[in-house]
Amino acid sequence: MQNTRYIEFFDGGAEPQLERLGGKCASLVSMTAAGMPVPPGFAVTTDLYDAFLEDAGIKDDIRKLLSGIDHEDVAHVEEVSARIREEICSRPVPEALRQQTIDAYEALQARFERPAPLAVRSSATAEDLPEASFAGAADTFLWLTDRRSVLEHIRKCWASLYTARAILYRLRNGIPEEGLSMAVAVQKMVNAETAGVAMTLDPATGDRSKITVDASWGVGEMVVSGQVTPDNVQLDKVTLCVVAEHIGDKHAELVPDPASGTLREVEVDAERRARRCVTDEQLRQVAEIAKRAERHYGCPQDIEWAFDRDLPAGENLLLLQSRPETVHSTREPATAPPADTGTLGVVAERVGAGDGAAVKSFPSPFSVETPAGAEGWEQLYPYYLVFQEALKDQDGQEFWFQNSQQWPVVLKPFETIGCEFAIRQLGEYNSRHLLIPTANGIDYRIHQGYLYMSPIAVPEEEVAERVAHFEERAGHYYRNWESLLEQWYDKVKGTIREMEQLEFRPLPGIVPLEDITSGKGKDGSEELFRTYDRLIDLAYQNWQYHFEFLNLGYIAYLDFFGFCKEVFPNIPDQNVATMVQGEDMELFRPDDELKKLALLALELGLEELFDRPEDAEGTLARIGAAPGGQRWLAQLEESEDPWFNFTTGNGFYGHDRYWIDHLDIPLTFIADYIRRAQDGVQLIRPTEELVAERERIVREYRDLLAPEQQAAFDEKIGLARTAYPYVENHNFYIEHWTMGTFWRKVRELSALFVDAGFWQDPADILYLSREEVRAALFDLVNAWGIGAKQPIGPAYWGAEIPRRAGIVDALKAHRAAPAFNTPPEFITEPFTTMLYGITTDQVAQWLGQDEQPEGVFTGMAASPGVVEGIARVVTSADELGSLRDGEILVAPNTAPSWGPVFGKITATVTDIGGMMSHAAIVCREYGLPAVTGAGSASLEIRTGQRLRVDGTKGVVTVLDDDAAGAGTPAAEPVLEGAS
């Protein structure tokens, strides 16, 4: 049927004219033309309504009844309303007009295989406008199953233009009656499984970075009319992840009644009442169609939607209506008060309870019993690293948390060099170089072998004085970032190269004759002291360089983070991180080199030679003898320096194994990459897609801001993107390359002691402190110098090292307390929250206050997505070989050198770590769900258990208690909610 003056089909191709179609029908025609999934139907135009009034001769009667009416006299308004509606419903419709409506009805029904129930909806010319919505003021009639009832209810829609509510709405909003008219939408009824409404903002605050969805079972009329308490879910508008939700009671639903041919209200069973009625994927579909409607109309929208049970999944979402949101839309598009653009902000993270709430405490370090066999552990460490009884009143009050991110296992005496240098230099830049206004450094102690840290706040009265210093000093770096960073690379690499040149030469049998004849006057032993001291000095030097830029990178990020939290309330942390995170990170370069070598091996036909990669020497010999093998070995040599200066650990322990010293490690990874490439896996990260998605997120958030906020946004994200890549890239140069070289030189020194009988294994040197090594060095050169039979060391250390090893083993068998004393209300030190993930939820979980049911772990939502699969618990790099394709990695923490396994896993769960921890960064890059800071997950989850990892919400759930299925493949994306 063709469109006529009185009938216009939604898909008839005509331009939507408000004066002929009214607000609702004009919107349905417009959305249909735009390709949105609107149920088919037609509009009975205002021309037909006006012709009816003219023929009935009641237009003047209506005008007279409404003239001079007072909106304060509600009783009179109701009386006038009743008289007008009676006039409209009692007069006949001219036969020619009635027949056009019947023809349209028959044409619509002819589209369906069997007669379809229809909805009849009012569409006033003053309805669904940007300045006035009239929402709910006129009538809607549902599930009409025959022609007669459709015609009858069209007339009722006309009459609803004059309900008392509609009249009062127009009076109170100054909307004139002159020119007012009513069209009617006749539309295929949706057999709704679930339905509801959605707004492209937060209706409570006007925040345009959110989409708010109300949903309930059955037909959506019960949601629209407020007859049920629906599920209420708020999504981030840009990434469509759920940021808040409330499960409504949903006690009843409207469903078709075949017997009566109408809708009837039925009670919803307890199980469906208690769960969300739409899945995560359905929420995304609703949010997408709401965003599409907003883009189409150019202003925030209030839509009605439904999922039709008669249509296939993925095609069953239908858009029933879209009207402008009229409360907040007429205001300036500010999501929050304008943010301060003058100074860099520092985020304060609430950790303890506030407002006088009671707080549980962790034990005092002075009250924890020493594990059996570990008595005297305090003597292994310098006095300044151990809690002192004399300072019990001070250290027994401060909050200390165990840093298992960098120091997850017991430290041997020599290994304290890492925490001493790293944490000292971190604090030095906070408190002495940059003068960060609200943050000094981090104090640290070793307790029973484990490292504990305590952020040091700046006294409130000193904050203002530090601001000018901070802005001057930080500003210099930010203004000259590129040139200063280029100098940094030169300084760091120069330090490493000097460290690589250090040699610990054995003492000669006699002083060379040329040293006698030249008058040198020294025996060469001083070189051993000088080399040892220089080694320590160079490590100290690069740790100082390490923090020259690192804190500034975090501060730039935190400044942008704080701005986003202000202008986009409840924006997910992971979305802020995604906007800043770089795509070409040196953190991934070693892993990328392995992939390059794997693909080259396939290109050269060498893949069969990687069948025994654990035999590195034999594998390389076979490759060298094969055609094309020398080309591959040349590429290997190019990759090795510097990218194989990469540890399986984190660089802070002397037992860490480095690729360049143990080529079986990278060869095993290469062999696995070859296998995966043969299976069709795409090894190269899709950086172009990652960049495109990042830029989309940035663009959409920026578009939500007012112009003055956009300027601040541009400034802050520009600074963060300039400075933050250092946070990701520095790790290779310090923790890996510097410390790998350092530990190699320590082992070379230790070999001299092994040769002299001081101890048996080069690793035994780790049981000595730095000062004790220097003393042992004097013992060695002293015995040599005086011609003694042997040094004292072999007799002393031969017994002392086993004693100390026994203490360390006893400490390793003991589970460390996660924290000590009472947590503060706020933490302002930037590393504590962003890197270590010390948040309110983390502390509550440690204290057992999070009230999670058994088998549920909460942490930081570090990388979005939901996956179900089999757990593989890995507590050290040595266990990575046990990981199978498709498993979920559960670990205390991860290290950058674990990169090759992220291509085969489907999600990651770590006990500790924040939004900028390694696991979080890598999982976002690979598109894997991740929950970091999940407390005791690696201790309580067992390999083989089936898990659901929700990286969007930060929740890990054990789905079954059967650990026998270890290695069962296939973890699949899942959708939480109704199915």
Side-chain angles (χ1 to χ4, degrees), residues 20-220:
R20 294 187 61 246
L21 301 178
K24 185 181 285 87
C25 287
S27 176
L28 292 169
V29 169
S30 178
M31 291 187 297
T32 301
M36 296 187 211
V38 176
F42 61 86
V44 178
T45 70
T46 59
D47 289 326
L48 198 154
Y49 169 76
D50 292 339
F52 160 71
L53 291 184
E54 193 68 37
D55 182 82
I58 59 176
K59 186 176 289 188
D60 288 341
D61 295 343
I62 293 173
R63 187 181 300 113
K64 290 175 184 177
L65 285 169
L66 291 173
S67 64
I69 197 168
D70 182 2
H71 69 83
E72 297 291 344
D73 190 348
V74 176
H76 181 55
V77 171
E78 290 177 345
E79 179 186 339
V80 168
S81 167
R83 289 180 61 183
I84 295 174
R85 286 186 287 122
E86 173 62 26
E87 288 279 357
I88 292 174
C89 290
S90 62
R91 302 299 177 95
V93 177
E95 183 59 30
L97 302 181
R98 183 173 179 273
Q99 188 59 49
Q100 286 215 24
T101 308
I102 292 172
D103 292 345
Y105 171 87
E106 298 295 345
L108 179 62
Q109 290 287 5
R111 299 186 182 194
F112 314 124
E113 292 182 1
R114 56 181 181 274
L118 302 179
V120 173
R121 302 170 182 268
S122 58
S123 180
T125 53
E127 182 180 359
D128 294 347
L129 304 180
E131 63 277 5
S133 73
F134 270 84
D139 287 341
T140 289
F141 302 97
L142 306 175
W143 215 266
L144 306 178
T145 56
D146 59 69
R147 184 179 72 186
R148 182 176 181 179
S149 61
V150 168
L151 294 175
E152 176 187 346
H153 286 90
I154 289 173
R155 187 196 296 266
K156 289 183 178 180
C157 280
W158 288 343
S160 72
L161 185 60
Y162 296 103
T163 62
R165 180 181 174 187
I167 294 170
L168 287 169
Y169 184 94
R170 292 194 291 273
L171 288 171
R172 289 167 179 168
N173 287 276
I175 299 172
E177 296 289 336
E178 192 65 35
L180 193 64
S181 190
M182 174 70 84
V184 178
V186 180
Q187 190 174 25
K188 180 184 180 297
M189 189 73 201
V190 176
N191 186 12
E193 180 178 20
T194 55
V197 299
M199 286 190 179
T200 59
L201 46 62
D202 182 342
T205 66
D207 176 8
R208 298 188 188 185
S209 70
K210 303 295 181 294
I211 292 175
T212 305
V213 178
D214 280 353
S216 194
W217 300 109
V219 174

Side-chain angles (χ1 to χ4, degrees), residues 930-951:
V931 177
T932 59
S936 56
S938 72
L939 294 171
E940 299 184 41
I941 293 172
R942 300 192 308 279
T943 291
Q945 289 182 316
R946 189 167 184 84
L947 309 179
R948 176 187 290 119
V949 178
D950 188 336

Side-chain angles (χ1 to χ4, degrees), residues 523-807:
D523 62 9
S525 61
E526 75 284 352
E527 287 299 322
L528 283 175
F529 290 105
R530 185 178 296 115
T531 303
Y532 176 69
D533 291 342
R534 186 58 178 159
L535 176 63
I536 302 298
D537 179 59
L538 290 171
Y540 190 83
Q541 179 171 290
N542 255 7
W543 276 107
Q544 283 197 304
Y545 293 155
H546 173 279
F547 287 97
E548 182 181 3
F549 288 84
L550 187 59
N551 300 26
L552 290 167
Y554 273 107
I555 288 168
Y557 173 79
L558 287 168
D559 181 51
F560 179 63
F561 178 88
F563 174 85
C564 289
K565 287 291 185 179
E566 182 179 355
V567 297
F568 307 121
N570 298 318
I571 182 175
D573 294 359
Q574 58 196 224
N575 292 4
V576 184
T578 298
M579 286 192 279
V580 172
Q581 185 167 316
E583 72 280 355
D584 188 22
M585 294 181 286
E586 289 177 322
L587 176 71
F588 294 109
R589 183 65 183 273
D591 189 31
D592 289 342
E593 292 296 316
L594 298 181
K595 294 173 182 177
K596 184 195 304 181
L597 287 163
L599 294 174
L600 180 60
L602 286 168
E603 178 189 333
L604 297 173
L606 302 173
E607 61 272 17
E608 299 299 329
L609 303 179
F610 287 84
D611 56 333
R612 297 193 305 276
E614 65 279 4
D615 176 16
E617 185 176 352
T619 297
L620 295 177
R622 292 194 301 274
I623 291 172
Q630 290 302 317
R631 178 183 166 191
W632 192 89
L633 291 177
Q635 181 59 59
L636 173 67
E637 184 177 354
E638 183 178 326
S639 297
E640 284 180 340
D641 188 11
W643 304 114
F644 280 22
N645 288 284
F646 211 49
T647 173
T648 57
N650 59 21
F652 290 111
Y653 291 93
H655 61 253
D656 286 351
R657 301 171 72 213
Y658 288 78
W659 292 5
I660 201 163
D661 300 319
H662 301 273
L663 287 176
D664 58 303
I665 298 172
L667 288 175
T668 299
F669 286 140
I670 292 169
D672 189 56
Y673 275 139
I674 290 172
R675 176 189 63 79
R676 284 152 63 185
Q678 289 174 319
D679 291 343
V681 175
Q682 177 63 42
L683 298 185
I684 305 302
R685 289 178 296 117
T687 53
E688 290 185 5
E689 295 176 18
L690 292 168
V691 171
E693 174 63 7
R694 183 189 68 186
E695 294 308 313
R696 178 195 71 81
I697 291 172
V698 170
R699 182 174 60 255
E700 290 195 19
Y701 275 122
R702 186 183 186 279
D703 288 346
L704 294 170
L705 297 172
E708 66 274 12
Q709 292 176 317
Q710 288 182 346
F713 179 89
D714 294 344
E715 177 184 337
K716 291 176 184 293
I717 195 173
L719 181 61
R721 284 186 167 183
T722 296
Y724 190 73
Y726 176 87
V727 173
E728 299 163 338
N729 291 335
H730 80 279
N731 182 281
F732 171 78
Y733 293 93
I734 307 300
E735 281 94 328
H736 291 269
W737 195 0
T738 296
M739 293 308 293
T741 305
F742 175 80
W743 292 121
R744 191 176 306 115
K745 294 303 174 181
V746 169
R747 288 192 296 273
E748 290 175 11
L749 170 61
S750 186
L752 298 182
F753 289 107
V754 171
D755 290 343
F758 276 61
W759 43 77
Q760 296 181 348
D761 189 318
D764 286 343
I765 194 174
L766 302 177
Y767 289 102
L768 283 66
S769 70
R770 297 195 302 280
E771 291 72 21
E772 287 174 328
V773 169
R774 206 173 195 286
L777 198 55
F778 185 84
D779 180 19
L780 177 67
V781 302
N782 180 63
W784 172 82
I786 65 175
K789 291 183 179 180
Q790 66 174 23
I792 306 300
Y796 177 76
W797 293 112
E800 182 61 12
I801 286 177
R803 185 187 76 83
R804 295 186 179 189
I807 291 174

